[in-house]
Amino acid sequence: MILIVDDTPENLISLKKVLEKYNFEVDTASSGEEALKKVLKNSYVLIILDVQMPGMDGFEVAEAISGYSKAKETAIIFLSAANTEFRFIAKGYSSGGLDYITKPVDMNILLLKVQTFYRIYEQNRKLNEMQKSLLEEIEFRKEAERKKDEFISIASHELKTPLTSVKGYVQLLERSVDKGDTITVKKHLGKAQVQLEKLNSLIADLLDISKIESGKLKFNKQEFCIDELIDNVIDVMHQSSPEFKIIKEGNTKCKVYGDEMRIEQVVINFLTNAIKYSPGTSEIKLSCNIKGDGLFLSVKDYGIGMSEDQLKNVFEKFYRVEETSQRFQGLGIGLYIASEIIKRHGGEIGVNSTYGQGSEFYFIIPLKFNQDFDEL
Ligand code: ADP
């Protein structure tokens, strides 16, 4: 848009008409003060500025404008009837003008200049925008790279912990076997088994991530009984964390169409997190009901919870709540995988949480076969 600043209404009107005839969008101001207000509010590509005006003159306006960040890329052309001497022209250029045209104005020449400056400034503006978005993109890459490095270091650490334990138990086993102490052998075997399970599930998660990245996460969908799945999962969780009571609410008595193992993986992820992030508590609620034509399942804990800010990102890859990441082990990928699984079932995943009071993770998936979300 072009801003014409002139205290003579006839000049404003005639110039506006000519420019509009050539499809320029034009705004006007009849004083320097009004021009400054408009420049603060709007973005102009070009300002055609009369030099002699009561109140602020054109030079003062140009100098004030040069301090506005908003008008950094705005071109200024001065128009002057009286001040045609070189020192005025020089002042015009030094106060930020691109050109200094003396009146009477040859409209054809002014138009040519306006068209040229407009084109140059428009191109310049576009180049700046492009540069800005390129810089942002580079930053975003850099950030992704940093996250990846951080992830590799956390993942190596997470994998090393159970591996070190297994090594320790195997050494102990050797000694107990030598002594012929079968009871201790069984105890150490059981502990090594738990650590191997951890290792197995960490590796499975890592493999899932790379399958998601390469679009190779496959689903084997068929009808299954969700109530049975929940009862089994509760049993398994009870064996590994007997201190927690998982209260099941609701009974759907219906079949769900989906990949049973993957849905089980999501429920286990919700429950494992509910236990992990709720130290000092001993109860978790698992609800399951039919909502419309979908299955709703939620896991509610009474643990550390999350603030509004923290829970915004929980389904993002590698995200872990910074404040608590030192206290709890994890890779920050479980919920990302869960959200991919639910999305690929045509469902929705979400969380409600209150900082210090607990969280409720849930998903809804359509009960019926849905061709759009069936695997190719
Ligand atoms: P991980 O637990 O391995 O870090 P997840 O993807 O399962 O990875 O969870 C991502 C983050 O979400 C966790 O690091 C934690 O900060 C937060 N979170 C997940 N579940 C809960 C929960 N039940 N209560 C509080 N915070 C949770």
Side-chain angles (χ1 to χ4, degrees):
M1 189 158 49
I2 298 176
L3 176 66
I4 311 170
V5 190
D6 204 312
D7 59 314
T8 318
E10 307 87 75
N11 290 351
L12 276 184
I13 294 164
S14 64
L15 195 51
K16 187 172 189 274
K17 263 194 187 157
V18 175
L19 293 173
E20 281 178 342
K21 206 173 134 198
Y22 285 85
N23 293 327
F24 285 108
E25 224 187 308
V26 180
D27 196 4
T28 57
S30 51
S31 70
E33 291 79 0
E34 192 190 349
L36 288 185
K37 275 188 208 153
K38 290 205 163 182
V39 171
L40 269 184
K41 260 204 265 161
N42 313 315
S43 276
Y44 298 101
V45 175
L46 182 71
I47 302 175
I48 301 174
L49 193 53
D50 185 22
V51 174
Q52 293 82 30
M53 290 186 290
M56 279 181 104
D57 70 20
F59 299 136
E60 287 169 315
V61 175
E63 265 161 32
I65 287 175
S66 66
Y68 292 177
S69 62
K70 215 172 168 189
K72 245 195 341 225
E73 286 150 29
T74 307
I76 295 175
I77 300 179
F78 285 110
L79 288 187
S80 175
N83 302 332
T84 55
E85 289 167 40
F86 177 75
R87 61 190 174 100
F88 289 112
I89 296 176
K91 193 171 178 197
Y93 280 99
S94 67
S95 59
L98 262 196
D99 204 349
Y100 195 100
I101 298 175
T102 47
K103 294 183 188 174
V105 175
D106 179 329
M107 276 300 175
N108 288 327
I109 291 186
L110 180 64
L111 201 61
L112 280 179
K113 290 190 176 199
V114 167
Q115 281 169 333
T116 309
F117 287 140
Y118 201 95
R119 204 174 51 236
I120 293 172
Y121 268 71
E122 199 49 15
Q123 279 168 353
N124 202 27
R125 200 180 53 77
K126 279 190 186 147
L127 274 176
N128 282 340
E129 261 174 26
M130 225 186 276
Q131 190 190 22
K132 203 171 140 217
S133 78
L134 274 175
L135 283 174
E136 276 168 10
E137 209 168 300
I138 291 170
E139 275 309 311
F140 177 76
R141 274 190 207 131
K142 274 195 200 159
E143 177 64 12
E145 198 66 20
R146 195 191 59 74
K147 272 192 180 170
K148 206 170 184 173
D149 288 348
E150 192 182 87
F151 173 74
I152 291 172
S153 118
I154 297 174
S156 323
H157 176 76
E158 290 283 307
L159 290 171
K160 211 163 182 281
T161 313
L163 200 64
T164 312
S165 303
V166 172
K167 263 169 89 179
Y169 287 125
V170 170
Q171 278 169 5
L172 290 172
L173 266 171
E174 215 173 7
R175 275 187 236 160
S176 313
V177 168
D178 285 347
K179 281 193 218 154
D181 181 354
T182 347
I183 296 175
T184 318
V185 167
K186 276 194 179 156
K187 202 174 98 191
H188 290 328
L189 268 178
K191 291 205 167 158
Q193 188 99 26
V194 171
Q195 297 302 321
L196 282 174
E197 263 316 310
K198 269 193 192 167
L199 208 54
N200 193 37
S201 92
L202 279 172
I203 293 170
D205 275 0
L206 290 172
L207 285 174
D208 279 351
I209 282 279
S210 72
K211 281 186 203 157
I212 291 171
E213 303 282 281
S214 59
K216 287 185 185 143
L217 190 69
K218 294 282 173 223
F219 292 90
N220 176 17
K221 291 183 184 170
Q222 50 199 18
E223 282 202 329
F224 65 92
C225 174
I226 188 75
D227 295 308
E228 258 173 43
L229 181 150
I230 294 171
D231 292 341
N232 287 342
V233 171
I234 291 181
D235 266 358
V236 173
M237 297 305 296
H238 187 68
Q239 276 167 30
S240 55
S241 309
E243 69 281 14
F244 269 89
K245 193 166 153 205
I246 302 170
I247 302 165
K248 183 184 171 196
E249 287 176 346
N251 218 345
T252 64
K253 292 200 176 59
C254 73
K255 298 261 184 219
V256 178
Y257 181 77
D259 185 321
E260 187 172 359
M261 300 265 282
R262 291 293 182 186
I263 296 297
E264 184 181 272
Q265 183 180 349
V266 176
V267 182
I268 291 178
N269 179 258
F270 282 3
L271 286 170
T272 316
N273 280 349
I275 292 171
K276 179 162 71 171
Y277 297 104
S278 307
T281 74
S282 59
E283 203 174 281
I284 288 165
K285 271 194 191 128
L286 192 158
S287 310
C288 186
N289 338 276
I290 305 295
K291 278 200 178 162
D293 49 10
L295 170 88
F296 172 87
L297 188 146
S298 78
V299 171
K300 189 173 165 65
D301 65 57
Y302 303 91
I304 61 170
M306 282 173 280
S307 65
E308 283 280 317
D309 245 23
Q310 296 166 339
L311 63 83
K312 270 200 304 236
N313 307 309
V314 284
F315 297 105
E316 270 176 30
K317 192 168 47 178
F318 307 146
Y319 177 80
R320 308 203 67 219
V321 171
E322 176 98 39
E323 189 189 324
T324 49
S325 60
Q326 299 292 328
R327 242 173 98 199
F328 303 95
Q329 285 186 327
L331 290 176
I333 54 177
L335 286 175
Y336 169 71
I337 297 170
S339 86
E340 277 296 311
I341 294 173
I342 297 304
K343 269 192 241 155
R344 297 275 296 274
H345 278 78
E348 192 191 316
I349 194 163
V351 55
N352 300 309
S353 187
T354 311
Y355 187 77
Q357 289 184 30
S359 312
E360 182 182 29
F361 281 85
Y362 64 85
F363 67 74
I364 305 171
I365 48 169
L367 283 171
K368 301 249 162 6
F369 167 76
N370 186 338
Q371 210 171 2
D372 288 348
F373 296 99
D374 212 26
E375 286 307 296
L376 297 169

